[in-house]
Amino acid sequence: MVEELRTTVGIVGAGPAGLMLAHLLHTAGIDSVVVDNRDRDTIAHTHRAGILEQGSVELLTRTGAVSRAHTEGHQHEGTVFRVDGVDHRIDFQGLVGASVWLYPQNEVFVDLAKTRDADGGAVFYGVSDTQPGGFDTDRPTIDFTDADGTARRIICDWIVGADGSRSVCRTTVPETTRQRYAHQYPFAWFGILCEAPPSAPELIYARSERGFALVSQRSDTVQRMYFQCSPDEDPDDWSEDRIWSELQARVDGPDGYRLTTGTIFDKTVLPFRSYVTEPMRHGRLLLAGDAAHTVPPTGAKGLNLALQDVRVLFEALRDAVTRGDESGIDGYSDRALARVWKAQNFSSWMTSLLHLDPQASDFEFRRRQGELRGLLESAHGRAYLAEAYTGWPGESTLTI
Ligand code: PHB
């Protein structure tokens, strides 16, 4: 026996993108059902990046869906590039009149999951055997087994694949009808969470002869930091002392700056790659966020891009469902991809600017130093950085 459910939009993936879309649809009176193979607690405790662009915060807070971002998040009006131990501040407000917010992705999820409860919308967490299909028909379906073992089928008008980089929705589309673009990097990030007060009021992106490091924050008592490492690094090889001395060595400078250390309670090696699949629409399947594109973590664009997809997608679905106007759906992939490729460029450029490529020649190493100096000494260079980091206003309508 298969239990059948009928909805307008079936959403695979209950991360921030899937749940934000479900909430926006709800505000427009459009019904949706969300499924995720992870349970709610696992998603709430999955650590991802913590920076929200100004436009992301506006989207998340406008309808009250993520109300704590303003009260518990921290507005950052700038960031620091620390090059060989010398600080260069990028003043976002002074340069482009924008800010970013430090508010961790798992907190965004916690808020959105509560909002979904308040909306009274269905979310099936902890499902298995998810199988979307029928994208080329008027009634696409999502088959799955729910957490209690009941086999279910959701019959939808549209399916949204917001199911992350290992997307089942994407892989259901035949490879012959999609194009993939990928780039690998010869390094990864070693990420830690520690119990300590903040080491700095804003983020510090550090480049040193030992490689990249990032000093970020989570709260008054918990901090997040990263350093560039080899992709096959084993976290167990790194004692607390070894981690702190490596991080400190990468921020050492003539100003005598010291990190505030504390107990490390989480160590992870984060993979690093760029990936885009095109198009982002296949019949009645629409891909959003990491299901369609992955960026390296430098610049924290991943969640912001996913939310931008959702903004464009929501308007497209609303027009299709309420007015029968599918022009937004037809234009979705191109509109979303225009920003995706700008962000791919920014993330990969910021990565190469700040990391040491173990395979690079001495010439390349020196050239990068020149590039960084040219950028930081130029008000226009800093403004470019500030504009891209805080998020370009709206998606471009430029056709190139
Ligand atoms: C983080 O706080 O996790 C973070 C911040 C900025 C980045 C990447 C990660 O560029």
Side-chain angles (χ1 to χ4, degrees), residues 119-150:
D119 289 347
V123 185
F124 290 89
Y125 292 102
V127 307
S128 49
D129 305 324
T130 308
Q131 192 49 63
F135 309 142
D136 293 328
T137 70
D138 284 351
R139 291 282 176 271
T141 53
I142 305 170
D143 292 335
F144 65 100
T145 306
D146 74 15
D148 297 328
T150 306

Side-chain angles (χ1 to χ4, degrees), residues 47-51 102 104 189 203 205 212 214-218 224-226 270 296-301 350 389:
H47 300 292
R48 304 287 293 271
I51 289 289
L102 183 96
W189 274 9
L203 268 61
Y205 288 89
F212 171 80
L214 171 59
V215 180
S216 183
Q217 300 89 18
R218 281 297 175 265
R224 182 78 160 143
M225 297 182 202
Y226 305 92
L270 279 78
T298 330
K301 285 280 173 249
M350 201 170 150
Y389 193 91

Side-chain angles (χ1 to χ4, degrees), residues 12-25:
V12 185
L19 290 186
M20 188 63 213
L21 179 65
H23 175 62
L24 290 171
L25 291 170

